[in-house]
Amino acid sequence: MKFEVKPEEYYQIKDNCRAGLLKYLEKAITLLPRTDNPKILDIGCGTGVPTIWFARNYGGKITAIDTDNQALEWLRKKIIINNLEESVTVTNVSFFDLRSEPLYYDIILAEGFLNVVGFVQGFVKVIDLLREGGYFLIHDENKDHEMKCEFIIKHGCELTGTIFLDETVWWNDYYRQLEMDINSPGTFRMKHFFDSEFKEIESYKLNPALFKSLYYIVKKK
C-alpha cells in the first residue's frame, strides 16, 4: 500500500478542533501547585496541542514523544513558529522504548495514552519516571473508574482530583466543529484523509453515551 503524506491543512483542522478541549486541561492544571522550571513529559503527544499550551502557559522543559512522525513534523513546525525551541524537545519514540532516568519528571501528561496501552500496564511504568511529590495527569475513557482509583492508591499515589467530560462536552467542544470543518467545501480534495474521523463521528451519533472521559490528577507520594 502506498504511503500518503497528510497535508498541513489536515493537521490544522485537527488542531483547531482539539483546541476546544484545552479548557479542561487548563482546569486540571489549576489543581497543581506551581513549580519553578518543571520537567514535563507529554506521552503520545501527537501534533502537540497540549504540548504547545504547556509551553506557553506553564513553562518548564517539555519532552514530547510519539511514534507518528508526520504528526511530530507538524509539531516541530509549530514549535519554531512559536519560538519554543528552548522549551520543547520532540522525540519519535514509543514510550516503552523511552530511555529516561527514574524519578526524573515533575509532571507527566497522558492524553489517551493509557486507553491505548492499558491503564495498569501504562500506569506502572509511567509512575517510575515521576519524582516523589510529582503529578501524573491522565485523560482516559470513563470506564472501570473504581478499579482505577483503587489501583492508583495501592501504587503509592494520591488521587487529588478528577474532571468529568460527558458526551455533550465531546460533541459541543470537539466533534461538532470537526464535522463542520471536514465537510466544508475547502476540504473536499482531502476528505479521504478523514476516514477515521468520519467513523468516530458516526459512532458518536449511534451511541453518544460511550463518549465520556475523565481527567485523573494523581500525586506521587
Side-chain angles (χ1 to χ4, degrees), residues 99-114:
R99 298 290 178 263
S100 180
E101 299 176 28
L103 308 176
Y104 181 76
Y105 293 100
D106 300 292
I107 299 171
I108 298 178
L109 174 65
E111 289 267 5
F113 170 74
L114 298 188

Side-chain angles (χ1 to χ4, degrees), residues 80-122:
I80 293 170
I81 291 170
N82 289 279
N83 297 313
L84 296 172
E85 295 95 327
E86 298 298 318
S87 301
V88 184
T89 301
V90 176
T91 305
N92 183 356
V93 65
S94 163
F95 173 71
F96 294 102
D97 294 327
L98 178 67
R99 298 290 178 263
S100 180
E101 299 176 28
L103 308 176
Y104 181 76
Y105 293 100
D106 300 292
I107 299 171
I108 298 178
L109 174 65
E111 289 267 5
F113 170 74
L114 298 188
N115 184 36
V116 174
V117 302
F119 190 92
V120 171
Q121 180 185 11

Side-chain angles (χ1 to χ4, degrees), residues 2-15:
K2 184 179 179 180
F3 179 75
E4 193 169 10
V5 177
K6 295 183 178 70
E8 290 189 354
E9 294 94 330
Y10 167 85
Y11 291 113
Q12 189 63 67
I13 288 172
K14 292 278 287 183
D15 281 3

Side-chain angles (χ1 to χ4, degrees), residues 11 45-48 66 68-78 90:
Y11 291 113
C45 64
T47 61
D66 204 292
D68 184 343
N69 198 49
Q70 286 193 68
L72 294 181
E73 283 302 313
W74 175 241
L75 172 55
R76 290 184 181 102
K77 289 182 180 181
K78 293 191 295 181
V90 176

